[in-house]
Amino acid sequence: MFFTYLRRELRRRRKAALVVASGLALGIALVIVVTSVSAGMGKAQDKVLESLYGLGTDMTVTKAAAPSGTGTERPRFRFDAQDEGSGGEQSSDRVMVQGFQTLASSTVGRVAAQDGVADAVGGLSLQVVKVSGEFTRGRVQQDGSGGQGGGQDSSQGGGPGGVQPSPQDRIEGGGADFDVNSYSVYGTDVTEPALGPLTSSRITGGRTFEASETDAAVAVADASYAKEKKLETGSTVTIRNTKFRVVGIATADSGDAAADLYIPLKRAQTLADAKDKVTTVYVKATDSQRIDGVKAAIGKNVPGTTVTTSADLADTVSGSLSTASSLATSVGRWLSIVVLVAAFLVAGLLTSSAVSRRVREFGTLKALGWKSGRVTRQVVGEAVVNGLVGGALGIALGLAGAYAVTAVSPTLQAQLGGGGGAGGGFGGMRAAPGGPGAQKTLDIALTAPVSLTTIALAVALAVTGGLIAGAFGGWRASRLRPADALRRVE
């Protein structure tokens, strides 16, 4: 009897039921879209952070770089002038530690010994500046009135026994033609391949390092750098007179790679004259819930270091990604709550209004022997069905909206930098042109994944909306008396 009466009433009052269901559907759809977009923002930020410190890293330990002018030495390049026409090209390169002051390699063991640390690995970030080209002497061209014609090498003038050029003489030829090539090199611990910035890239050509290549002259090149320099597997790269054979090509999963070239840590220490030194210690915690405790323990037991977690770096994210994330978290969430509450109230008021128009019907049913509880259950049942219909419509609209966001995949920009002291950011972060503290900009495509939890939330909201509407109408119906029906009889 309950379901028969329920089906008949819903069919008879289709318009009112559709209005109630539509209001709930709008609120539920908005909740699904906002929740999905927020989840997409979280994934986008995770991609940004992973592109900087690698997959699986919970925090890094570094030592802040010394302020400029306090013991830092600018690189110097020396070239010998050559005779014109010699055609000999000269080159000179300098390998410098980038971003941070160095830590002793023993720091890695001290960090790994802290309670709550699952693994720790060291790395050395380097910057290589190579200047190559030609520097040719000029020649002194004597004026014809000066006696003997011809020219003298400028290196012979002005010194004892040399020809003193007259004011009318001029210097011709000579000059310099140099090219400056700057690139980043990262020394990675090849015995710990599961931790460090190289984990944010995937090997798309050749192979990665082998555990036995701790002191081998091998390198893995970033795909963008390899394309620029026309490198491939088997090519050689010379760094400070040492030839490294490219054994693999790595492609960053998102954003820029941590370095242009990756080489074994021991080789990097030798190139930079930094024996048993590292710039960054990458740390993985045993439990994500213990990250704050591990950070505090390292800061206390390993003095003179700076511990940076992914949450700390996330605070330095700016740009359109940060703005959109803030909007989705604050404005979008509050908007969905307001719309949902309004939908619940409208559904309740419409249900209560429908009950007031059915006074004769409910009064007659009570006169026929229906108890107040049965009338209330009937009203609540109709409201819950309206809520489920609205939930189904809302889920469909929400899925369509989330799919539209994913299909369009708007590109957001994330700017990072300035959050890690003089070093600028999380350990191992490659500095943008302009210095270690310069910002780094990444382009991230936004998606809106819908999880089963979100669908379950939508169903719960639909049932809740039906119950709220039913509570309004049920309370009104329970107060009706059979005499009210008689007053409405025309």
Side-chain angles (χ1 to χ4, degrees), residues 20 29 43 49 70 125 131 176 186 197 231 258 279 350 456 461 470 474 477 484 490:
V20 173
K43 286 191 173 184
L49 301 182
T70 58
S125 182
V131 179
Y186 190 84
L231 299 176
T279 52
L350 288 176
L461 290 175
D484 293 330
E490 296 177 356

Side-chain angles (χ1 to χ4, degrees), residues 177-247:
D177 182 14
F178 289 96
D179 177 62
V180 179
N181 180 25
S182 177
Y183 56 95
S184 57
V185 176
Y186 190 84
T188 182
D189 189 342
V190 298
T191 63
E192 295 280 354
L195 205 57
L198 187 54
T199 57
S200 64
S201 300
R202 51 190 172 86
I203 302 298
T204 53
R207 61 175 177 83
T208 188
F209 297 108
E210 296 179 354
S212 60
E213 295 176 327
T214 55
D215 195 24
V218 293
V220 172
D222 173 60
S224 298
Y225 183 75
K227 182 179 180 180
E228 177 187 351
K229 300 300 181 181
K230 296 180 174 58
L231 299 176
E232 57 185 16
T233 304
S235 300
T236 58
V237 179
T238 302
I239 308 175
R240 202 173 181 182
N241 299 323
T242 302
K243 290 186 177 181
F244 289 82
R245 181 170 56 89
V246 178
V247 297

